[in-house]
Amino acid sequence: MEVKKKDIRALTKEQLREFFTTVGEKPFRGNQVYEWLWKKGAHSFEDMTNVSKETRQMLQDNFVINHIKVDQMQRSSDGTVKNAVKLHDGLTVESVLIPTKTRTTACVSSQVGCSLDCRFCATSRLKRMRNLNPDEIYDQVVAIDNESRLYFDRPLSNIVFMGMGEPLMNYNNVLKSIEKITSEEGLGMSPKRITVSTSGVPKMIKKMADDEVKFNLAVSLHSAIDDIRTSIMPFNATFPLKDLREALEYWYSKTRNRITYEYIVWDGINDTQTDAEALVAFCKFAPSKVNLIEYNPIDDGEFQQAHSKAIDMYVAILEVNHITVTVRRSRGKDIDAACGQLANKS
Ligand code: SAH
């Protein structure tokens, strides 16, 4: 009977050292192999040139390296790059590189599909198949870092967990991937350059606060009025705004970190002064930034971006209340790489 080999990157460095001890080798080998797996991005045991042939064979007999494969890469006319990423079990997720003059940002997926049901988001039409493992998230970042160096001659500067999936419903793996991304054995990036975006899972926001995470938090709010939010983000019925707000207050009291809100203004849905005032009332308890993001149509027009007058009204009301506001243009629309468009069309 063939034994199912283990994913070697599911092991911590300590576990890898222990493994080498149990097979009668020096634990130090564990450090070497660990470095190959994370820092040097080895795709196979063959790559590990300072490890003896016998040891490589022994690893080969016991483990697999489930490396992702960038299956298809598309480049947008605005420089945005979208990767279709094949996983070891044949499933696909997408990740995006977004270049600006001063930054390159990786937008990565945390799940295959999504279990939430936001009615304006293309990913919500895919079933949630499974969570991504820490190494599958990490690999997406490494692939984009390489593309950034290749096409823009600079390393990746920022990461947003705004691809497919709800990161806080795969919290442990997301956290582990960020530990790798920020550790010296991984990419050594500052957590200040990483943003985790959530539709708002109150319990997990509190957990993040308790874990004293150092990365940034963004909340996809889209409405601060329960009835409206529930109509566009049905899970709001389970996690109503009162609970979300309480969790965010807890987050702020523990971390003292500014909170970012993602917000789309739609025609006839949330484009009145009452909506804007509700947003102010919701977020003014802590230093906040509101990103008014452009809507990327995904269907036949049930949702439409509000007129610029409504956007101007939001900006004015937020500014009067000393809430930082930016109006964001979408990137990568021509290759379906913009927010809410990730749906494995290819
Ligand atoms: N589930 C997490 C991570 C996904 S982030 C979250 O909701 O935050 C994807 C971002 O794109 C979210 O802010 C989401 O609200 C937004 N989005 C979804 N569909 C969109 C669309 N069609 N146009 C513009 N933004 C969209």
Side-chain angles (χ1 to χ4, degrees):
M1 191 184 83
E2 202 184 326
V3 189
K4 198 166 179 298
K5 296 181 190 175
K6 267 202 185 146
D7 174 5
I8 190 165
R9 287 189 300 169
L11 301 187
T12 62
K13 198 199 299 186
E14 239 354 275
Q15 289 169 329
L16 208 49
R17 286 168 56 90
E18 274 165 30
F19 169 79
F20 277 99
T21 316
T22 54
V23 296
E25 290 206 39
K26 294 238 155 52
F28 167 73
R29 285 270 169 240
N31 299 34
Q32 270 182 327
V33 170
Y34 194 84
E35 189 175 38
W36 274 111
L37 292 172
W38 296 105
K39 184 117 199 154
K40 299 182 186 163
H43 285 221
S44 78
F45 297 110
E46 284 305 297
D47 294 346
M48 304 181 178
T49 45
N50 63 353
V51 176
S52 77
K53 223 172 159 182
E54 295 72 45
T55 305
R56 278 185 270 159
Q57 188 57 50
M58 183 271 294
L59 290 171
Q60 181 85 46
D61 294 340
N62 285 282
F63 298 105
V64 285
I65 304 176
N66 284 334
H67 218 282
I68 64 159
K69 189 163 158 277
V70 177
D71 213 27
Q72 197 193 8
M73 198 204 79
Q74 285 173 279
R75 291 190 77 183
S76 158
S77 53
D78 66 19
T80 303
V81 176
K82 182 170 83 170
N83 292 333
V85 169
K86 214 11 149 253
L87 308 171
H88 67 93
D89 54 3
L91 295 171
T92 303
V93 291
E94 294 175 335
S95 30
V96 183
L97 179 168
I98 307 146
T100 66
K101 271 211 188 82
T102 51
R103 296 177 167 195
T104 39
T105 301
C107 174
V108 297
S109 295
S110 56
Q111 298 182 313
V112 187
C114 190
S115 55
L116 300 182
D117 42 14
C118 304
R119 288 179 46 216
F120 47 84
C121 179
T123 307
S124 75
R125 298 182 177 173
L126 307 172
K127 226 177 83 193
R128 188 200 76 95
M129 305 293 288
R130 69 170 173 88
N131 287 335
L132 293 186
N133 297 325
D135 47 281
E136 291 170 326
I137 299 170
Y138 180 82
D139 288 351
Q140 292 176 64
V141 175
V142 171
I144 291 185
D145 184 41
N146 290 337
E147 287 168 352
S148 178
R149 290 166 197 271
L150 183 66
Y151 296 121
F152 303 100
D153 214 13
R154 60 189 188 209
L156 185 64
S157 63
N158 297 75
I159 301 171
V160 294
F161 281 77
M162 294 191 189
M164 298 167 141
E166 168 49 51
L168 297 195
M169 292 188 169
N170 184 18
Y171 179 71
N172 288 338
N173 290 351
V174 165
L175 210 63
K176 280 188 195 153
S177 74
I178 293 177
E179 274 162 19
K180 262 345 166 229
I181 292 164
T182 53
S183 81
E184 278 314 315
E185 274 145 349
L187 296 177
M189 266 178 87
S190 162
K192 293 267 163 282
R193 295 179 170 276
I194 301 174
T195 300
V196 169
S197 178
T198 177
S199 309
V201 188
K203 196 175 79 194
M204 299 316 293
I205 292 172
K206 287 187 179 165
K207 171 98 173 75
M208 278 169 64
D210 287 335
D211 289 344
E212 296 178 22
V213 301
K214 297 286 182 290
F215 48 80
N216 304 300
L217 172 65
V219 178
S220 301
L221 193 64
H222 304 312
S223 175
I225 298 173
D226 266 318
D227 287 350
I228 298 177
R229 195 166 193 261
T230 300
S231 74
I232 54 178
M233 303 170 82
F235 71 88
N236 186 70
T238 318
F239 306 125
L241 287 164
K242 182 173 77 52
D243 298 354
L244 176 58
R245 165 69 184 260
E246 192 213 312
L248 291 171
E249 281 176 22
Y250 186 75
W251 159 268
Y252 182 68
S253 74
K254 286 254 173 173
T255 66
R256 297 280 142 191
N257 266 350
R258 176 170 87 167
I259 301 164
T260 299
Y261 296 92
E262 310 293 323
Y263 201 101
I264 306 172
V265 188
W266 287 285
D267 195 25
I269 293 179
N270 58 353
D271 58 353
T272 70
Q273 193 162 331
T274 311
D275 293 292
E277 279 161 1
L279 171 59
V280 170
F282 185 88
C283 61
K284 73 175 179 207
F285 72 92
S288 308
K289 175 178 161 192
V290 173
N291 286 331
L292 294 176
I293 56 184
E294 190 184 343
Y295 177 57
N296 302 303
I298 57 157
D299 55 20
D300 32 24
E302 187 190 351
F303 288 92
Q304 265 163 19
Q305 167 89 24
H307 301 286
S308 55
K309 251 170 86 180
I311 312 274
D312 294 345
M313 178 270 293
Y314 262 91
V315 171
I317 290 180
L318 289 162
E319 280 181 345
V320 164
N321 286 282
H322 309 292
I323 294 167
T324 309
V325 53
T326 60
V327 180
R328 286 272 192 86
R329 305 237 58 211
S330 254
R331 308 284 308 273
K333 267 205 256 195
D334 55 337
I335 54 167
D336 283 331
C339 289
Q341 291 187 315
L342 301 184
N344 294 341
K345 238 192 215 168
S346 49

